[in-house]
């Protein structure tokens, strides 16, 4: 039977090439759905890479605000004539997570100060309000602070005065001011007037206008562009950052919650990862910690999907492992995280959540154990986590990694082991060239339906690497769209999917391509972003079979397609990729008791130049264009532009 269908496909291809303009015929069995799309199917994967968190979505503008970087004054410059000993780094060791502060000891009237360079400068917007704040401890009162924002020519963009209160212990101070001009690379000057001695710490500058107006919150435009996607889940915090180069620098969620001045800063693993993209000033302040990740998930309507360290450091780096009989602390972290997210306010970790401002649970349903780990050493550790999690939290779905790639010995080994362990969701990663994505559109068509579900947890089509913003091309995005039709068609087994990485700062990236690029003032979505967004916004519910010459539409004639039915709006949604340099005309025959009723929407992303990409200067070179379309009866004739991805929303009754 299969052979016969293949023969039909070949004939269709021959006929198609003889009469290039003749429409190809496709069948849509609207009344015979094959499964349901998971409500959290299309999500986002956040990792603090490419200045994603510090210098990115976390709106703090001061770099190294607490002098905890390896070099305590990195990012700072001393201003004025400083006598020896006028500024000293104090390490008092008594303050949780924050050992260092700066002591200013000023005996004369000369003006001295400090300048912070921000993260590749500070993005300041005309008319917006900013708050400078700090912690300080008076030792010999008498100093006053004068704070300025300046441009590269030292023109003052904004300023404020901050008198310091008398008193013995650590206290906080703040001053607000608004900016007179917009500047992408402003700097902060903090001048000390008068005489006296004071110890300062947590020197901080935030815009007032953050996401949801939260004080010291997140960069509004960066959250907005995520919210616009209506992502089904937020995977965090990584990625390799979960593993750390060694176990000492692994991501430990407990150190990222509670008062921000107590969150212990560590080096960001992407600081040194790529010799060609060294980023010596990349650290993790954890201003964006696990509480904020959960809150962000809630804000954008996404299921939180935390990934935890399984007792192994990155196997590309040290590959350190925790002895099996010493894994308790790691497993306890997982149990405590579930309590932090879901526990009653009377429980120890539920109480921490409540005290941070969220008494209601975050409703965590899934938890990842390990990222890109492999080998028997992973399986042994995962087994310990699994047994305890199943026993104490059977309601939580466990996500486990199938390694670094989608095939080969490591993958095969893990895939078999994880299925045998009845792991709920297997996390597959693929960073591959466009040709791999095109040829992989049928990857999941024959996957086992009875066992573990799949999380395409990190993927991106890579034209060349490393490359930078300009290489997030239409070619890459279109090949992803083709592949994603395969994910959608197999939505009964593929439960979730997320592109990776999410953000890249044009002046501070380590890894490329990325989904969304930013500078200090702007944000734009790559062509891949628009593809992801279209899949997410037009997710639908039921998976509807679509056939071309009796086969799934997985590349025959350069065409890729899938379809779903949206129960709420009663629309058939067709996703269609034309990976050809010519127009394609298609007749879709609707096999259904339902009839087309009313105007359809046709949303298209297209460009004949596969090398085109969006940029800060041209953020919308590739963007969706929406038109209306009218069809009658049960046959839809539609024409698809060369190198295009189209979503059709067709009302049916
Ligand atoms: O997304 C960038 C990195 O790719 C992730 O940190 C890691 O999981 C993968 O290797």
């Amino acid at each position: 039977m299969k052979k016969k269908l293949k023969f039909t496909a070949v004939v269709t291809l021959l006929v198609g090439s003889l009469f290039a303009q003749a429409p190809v015929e496709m069948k849509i069995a609207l009344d015979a759905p094959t499964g349901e799309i998971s409500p959290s199917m299309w999500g986002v994967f956040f990792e603090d890479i490419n200045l994603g968190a510090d210098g990115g979505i976390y709106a703090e503008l001061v770099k190294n605000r607490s002098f905890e970087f390896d070099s305590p004054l990195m990012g700072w410059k001393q201003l004025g004539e400083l006598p020896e000993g006028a500024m000293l780094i104090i390490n008092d060791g008594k303050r949780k997570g924050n050992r260092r502060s700066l002591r200013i000891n000023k005996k004369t009237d000369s003006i001295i100060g400090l300048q912070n360079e921000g993260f590749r400068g500070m993005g300041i917007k005309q008319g917006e309000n900013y708050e400078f704040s700090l912690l300080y401890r008076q030792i010999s009162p008498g100093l006053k602070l004068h704070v300025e924002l300046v441009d590269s020519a030292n023109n003052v963009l904004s300023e404020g005065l901050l008198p310091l209160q008398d008193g013995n212990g650590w206290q906080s101070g703040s001053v607000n001011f608004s900016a007179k001009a917009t500047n992408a690379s402003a700097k902060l000057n903090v001048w000390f007037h008068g005489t006296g001695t004071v110890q300062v710490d947590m020197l901080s500058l935030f815009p007032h206008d953050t996401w949801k107006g939260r004080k010291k919150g997140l960069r509004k435009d960066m959250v907005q562009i995520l919210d616009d996607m209506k992502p089904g889940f937020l995977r965090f915090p990584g990625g390799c950052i979960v593993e750390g180069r060694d176990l000492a620098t692994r991501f430990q969620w407990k150190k990222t919650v509670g008062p921000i001045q107590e969150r212990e800063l560590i080096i960001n693993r992407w600081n040194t990862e790529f010799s060609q993209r060294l980023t010596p000033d990349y650290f993790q302040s954890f201003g964006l910690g696990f509480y904020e990740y959960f809150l962000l998930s809630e804000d954008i309507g996404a299921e939180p999907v935390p990934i935890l360290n399984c007792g192994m450091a990155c196997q590309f780096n040290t590959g350190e492992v925790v002895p099996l009989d010493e894994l308790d602390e790691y497993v306890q972290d997982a149990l405590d995280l579930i309590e932090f997210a879901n526990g009653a306010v009377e429980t120890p970790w539920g109480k921490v959540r409540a005290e941070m401002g969220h008494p209601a649970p975050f409703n965590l349903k899934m938890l990842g154990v390990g990222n890109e780990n492999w080998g028997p050493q992973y399986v042994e550790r995962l087994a310990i986590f699994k047994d305890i999690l199943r026993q104490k939290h059977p309601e939580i779905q466990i996500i486990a990694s199938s390694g670094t790639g989608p095939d080969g010995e490591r993958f095969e080994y893990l895939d078999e082991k994880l299925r045998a362990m009845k792991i709920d969701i297997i996390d597959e990663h693929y960073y591959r060239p466009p040709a791999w994505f095109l040829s992989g559109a049928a990857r999941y068509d024959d996957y086992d339906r009875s066992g573990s579900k799949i999380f395409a947890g990190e993927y991106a089509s890579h034209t060349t690497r490393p490359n930078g913003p300009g290489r997030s091309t239409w070619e890459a995005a279109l090949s992803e769209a083709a592949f994603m039709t395969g994910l959608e068609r197999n939505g009964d087994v593929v439960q979730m999917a997320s592109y990776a990485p999410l953000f890249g700062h044009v002046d501070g990236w380590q890894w490329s391509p990325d989904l969304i690029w930013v500078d200090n003032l702007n944000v734009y979505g790559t062509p891949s972003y628009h593809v992801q967004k279209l899949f997410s916004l037009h997710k639908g519910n039921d998976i509807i079979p679509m056939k071309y010459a009796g086969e799934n539409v997985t590349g025959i004639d350069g065409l890729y397609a899938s379809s779903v039915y949206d129960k709420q709006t009663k629309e058939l949604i067709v996703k269609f990729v034309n990976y050809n340099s010519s127009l394609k005309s298609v007749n879709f025959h609707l096999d259904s008791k339902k009839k087309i009723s009313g105007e359809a929407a046709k949303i298209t992303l297209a460009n004949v130049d596969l090398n085109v990409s969006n940029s800060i200067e041209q953020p919308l070179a590739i963007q969706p264009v929406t038109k209306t379309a009218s069809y009658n009866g049960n046959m839809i004739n539609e024409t698809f532009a060369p190198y295009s991805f189209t979503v059709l929303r067709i009302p049916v009754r």
Side-chain angles (χ1 to χ4, degrees):
M1 178 67 175
K2 199 143 199 191
K3 272 199 181 128
K4 205 171 163 194
L5 289 175
K6 288 247 161 77
F7 174 72
T8 324
V10 171
V11 171
T12 312
L13 271 174
L14 287 174
V15 173
S17 56
L18 284 175
F19 305 98
Q21 300 310 316
V24 295
E25 312 291 331
M26 296 200 180
K27 282 192 179 155
I28 299 179
L30 181 55
D31 298 343
T34 52
E36 282 184 20
I37 297 283
S38 138
S40 49
M41 176 76 179
W42 308 109
V44 289
F45 160 60
F46 186 96
E47 178 170 14
D48 190 4
I49 183 173
N50 304 316
L51 304 193
D54 287 293
I57 204 167
Y58 182 51
E60 171 66 89
L61 294 168
V62 174
K63 183 166 74 184
N64 192 13
R65 64 186 172 191
S66 57
F67 311 104
E68 302 291 327
F69 282 18
D70 290 354
S71 305
L73 286 178
M74 188 178 238
W76 294 97
K77 194 165 100 182
Q78 295 172 334
L79 303 173
E81 295 282 305
L82 259 74
E84 196 58 53
M87 283 190 193
L88 286 181
I89 295 292
I90 306 292
N91 184 339
D92 64 17
K94 286 187 218 121
R95 296 157 65 225
K96 191 180 163 200
N98 185 356
R99 293 163 303 129
R100 295 195 190 127
S101 56
L102 184 72
R103 180 175 295 178
I104 318 293
N105 182 10
K106 193 159 154 317
K107 297 190 174 122
T108 68
D109 273 346
S110 67
I111 300 178
I112 60 169
L114 280 170
Q115 183 174 78
N116 190 274
E117 66 187 20
F119 299 90
R120 315 298 184 273
M122 298 175 180
I124 300 295
K125 290 187 183 159
Q126 184 175 17
E128 278 200 10
N129 292 318
Y130 294 84
E131 181 188 85
F132 170 80
S133 65
L134 82 169
L135 296 176
Y136 64 94
R137 192 163 79 92
Q138 294 277 27
I139 292 163
S140 169
L143 292 175
K144 281 191 191 121
L145 264 58
H146 171 209
V147 186
E148 286 175 342
L149 285 169
V150 295
D151 65 15
S152 47
N154 271 329
N155 298 309
V156 176
L157 306 172
S158 191
E159 60 188 324
L161 285 174
L162 203 171
L164 302 177
Q165 308 298 319
D166 287 354
N168 291 328
W170 281 97
Q171 42 187 327
S172 58
S174 64
V175 56
N176 296 307
F177 39 78
S178 79
K180 284 188 273 189
T182 295
N183 195 282
S185 52
K187 293 187 169 67
L188 171 78
N189 290 341
V190 183
W191 297 103
F192 298 90
H193 296 257
T195 55
T197 309
V198 69
Q199 216 161 309
V200 296
D201 199 0
M202 294 296 287
L203 281 74
S204 171
L205 183 74
F206 273 90
H208 282 199
D209 192 21
T210 57
W211 170 252
K212 286 193 180 278
R214 292 207 182 97
K215 215 172 163 169
K216 305 195 177 189
L218 302 184
R219 207 175 123 172
K220 196 173 161 183
D221 56 349
M222 288 177 72
V223 183
Q224 187 63 57
I225 197 167
L226 298 184
D227 192 44
D228 291 345
M229 295 172 81
K230 300 279 162 265
F233 65 89
L234 175 73
R235 172 190 169 120
F236 58 87
C240 296
I241 214 157
V242 167
E243 301 154 77
R245 293 180 66 80
D246 53 18
L247 285 167
T249 51
R250 73 189 190 276
F251 198 103
Q252 298 184 60
W253 75 265
K254 287 176 180 164
K255 294 187 176 182
T256 75
V257 297
I260 54 169
Q261 68 273 18
E262 293 180 8
R263 301 182 192 177
E264 188 183 323
L265 175 143
I266 59 169
I267 191 166
N268 187 307
R269 61 155 295 126
W270 300 107
N271 182 315
T272 49
E273 186 64 18
F274 298 122
S275 53
Q276 74 282 13
R277 296 292 306 171
L278 288 174
T279 316
D281 58 346
Y282 205 2
F283 289 79
Q284 299 181 80
S285 71
F286 297 119
L288 175 62
F290 257 43
Y291 176 79
E292 290 78 16
Y293 279 122
F294 277 110
L295 204 56
L296 175 60
S297 309
E298 185 174 86
D299 284 352
I300 60 177
E303 294 290 344
V305 181
I307 309 289
L308 293 185
N309 188 295
C310 63
M312 298 173 72
C314 181
Q315 287 161 278
F316 288 117
N317 303 139
T318 62
E320 287 178 347
V321 297
V322 178
L324 290 176
D325 58 358
E326 289 173 28
L327 209 56
D328 293 8
E329 183 192 336
Y330 291 73
V331 178
Q332 195 58 46
D333 274 358
L335 298 175
D336 290 343
L337 180 65
I338 297 168
E339 185 175 291
F340 177 74
N342 294 351
V345 295
E346 297 78 28
T347 61
W349 285 103
K351 185 163 179 263
V352 174
R353 181 192 72 237
E355 282 170 359
M356 291 187 76
H358 203 286
F362 281 119
N363 203 13
L364 176 70
K365 299 182 187 121
M366 293 168 264
L367 182 64
V369 179
N371 171 71
E372 289 199 353
N373 299 113
W374 67 79
Q377 62 273 48
Y378 175 48
V379 175
E380 287 166 345
R381 281 158 186 80
L382 177 64
I384 296 175
F385 275 84
K386 195 205 90 172
D387 288 349
I388 298 177
L389 285 169
R390 285 276 189 262
Q391 193 194 327
K392 304 215 170 189
H393 289 286
E395 76 284 7
I396 296 289
Q397 289 197 297
I398 300 174
I399 301 171
S401 160
S402 61
T404 56
D407 42 36
E409 226 173 276
R410 273 182 200 156
F411 174 85
E412 301 295 341
Y413 168 81
L414 279 175
D415 189 62
E416 195 191 316
K417 291 283 179 199
L418 301 187
R419 286 174 190 280
M421 287 167 83
K422 298 201 183 328
I423 288 296
D424 301 298
I425 305 170
I426 299 178
D427 176 15
E428 295 187 358
H429 292 186
Y430 17 86
Y431 297 96
R432 291 287 187 274
W436 184 91
F437 280 89
L438 293 173
S439 65
R443 176 180 174 88
Y444 295 106
D445 289 359
D446 297 325
Y447 255 49
D448 178 6
R449 264 47 200 175
S450 60
S452 309
K453 302 282 186 197
I454 300 299
F455 176 18
E458 294 184 24
Y459 64 91
S461 174
H462 283 190
T463 45
T464 51
R465 277 193 63 217
N467 36 46
R471 300 308 301 161
S472 297
T473 61
W474 178 226
E475 180 188 10
L478 194 58
S479 67
E480 286 151 7
F483 182 80
M484 288 166 77
T485 61
L487 299 181
E488 183 174 86
R489 183 176 46 259
N490 292 287
D492 56 324
V493 68
V494 181
Q495 187 167 317
M496 300 187 297
S498 45
Y499 182 102
L502 187 57
F503 287 115
H505 190 296
V506 295
D507 299 319
W509 60 273
Q510 298 80 42
W511 179 298
S512 163
D514 302 296
L515 195 64
I516 297 165
W517 286 90
V518 306
D519 66 10
N520 285 344
L521 292 174
N522 306 286
V523 54
Y524 73 86
T526 59
S528 297
Y529 169 81
H530 291 290
V531 166
Q532 294 286 325
K533 187 173 162 187
L534 285 180
F535 270 89
S536 180
L537 295 186
H538 305 285
K539 179 168 57 202
N541 312 98
D542 291 339
I543 303 160
I544 305 298
M546 186 194 298
K547 303 283 177 189
Y548 176 18
E551 301 275 13
N552 291 332
V553 195
T554 59
I556 316 173
D557 217 8
L559 305 178
Y560 304 80
S562 57
S563 53
V564 289
Y565 177 66
D566 188 321
K567 287 178 178 160
Q568 283 75 47
T569 62
K570 299 191 169 48
E571 286 170 302
L572 168 69
I573 304 173
V574 173
K575 314 237 171 39
F576 197 91
V577 170
N578 176 15
Y579 208 96
N580 290 289
S581 55
S582 55
L583 280 174
K584 282 285 166 189
S585 173
V586 181
N587 289 334
F588 297 103
H589 300 272
L590 213 59
D591 185 1
S592 173
K593 289 193 203 95
K594 297 190 182 100
K595 295 266 177 289
I596 298 166
S597 68
E599 254 182 9
K602 180 181 180 187
I603 309 151
T604 307
L605 284 168
N607 205 298
V608 284
D609 180 0
L610 287 174
N611 281 319
V612 78
S613 56
N614 292 341
S615 62
I616 294 284
E617 297 72 29
Q618 281 197 294
L620 295 171
I622 293 268
Q623 62 170 318
V625 175
T626 304
K627 291 187 175 154
T628 53
S630 293
Y631 313 112
N632 288 316
N634 266 12
M635 208 272 279
I636 299 159
N637 173 259
E638 193 47 84
T639 307
F640 297 95
Y643 296 126
S644 63
F645 170 50
T646 304
V647 178
L648 299 174
R649 291 197 73 113
I650 307 153
V652 282
R653 294 284 186 276

